[in-house]
Amino acid sequence: MAIDINPTAEASYARTLMSRGCPKALAIQVANILAHTPDTARLSAYEERLVKQAYSHTADCA
């Protein structure tokens, strides 16, 4: 396994979500959204649903 010593924000978000039980495909999609939308108030309704869905997988681990 390769270790990225300087991970991107997107990679970091995805890794964190997956480590908390979020499915890989959803984690990658949400990580992309979060990394490229610094103001979460500007998320579309669809993007907001995806983020909530991803974090719902992590609720049991929190």
Side-chain angles (χ1 to χ4, degrees):
M1 179 168 113
I3 297 176
D4 187 358
I5 58 171
N6 293 312
T8 63
E10 187 173 348
S12 185
Y13 284 131
R15 185 175 46 246
T16 299
L17 286 168
M18 287 186 294
S19 74
R20 294 183 175 186
C22 183
K24 183 177 181 178
L26 179 59
I28 291 170
Q29 190 172 11
V30 168
N32 182 283
I33 291 168
L34 294 175
H36 295 98
T37 311
D39 183 6
T40 56
R42 294 179 183 236
L43 293 176
S44 69
Y46 174 72
E47 291 170 329
E48 201 171 305
R49 260 192 326 272
L50 285 177
V51 171
K52 286 180 182 180
Q53 183 181 1
Y55 278 97
S56 73
H57 289 282
T58 68
D60 296 333
C61 300

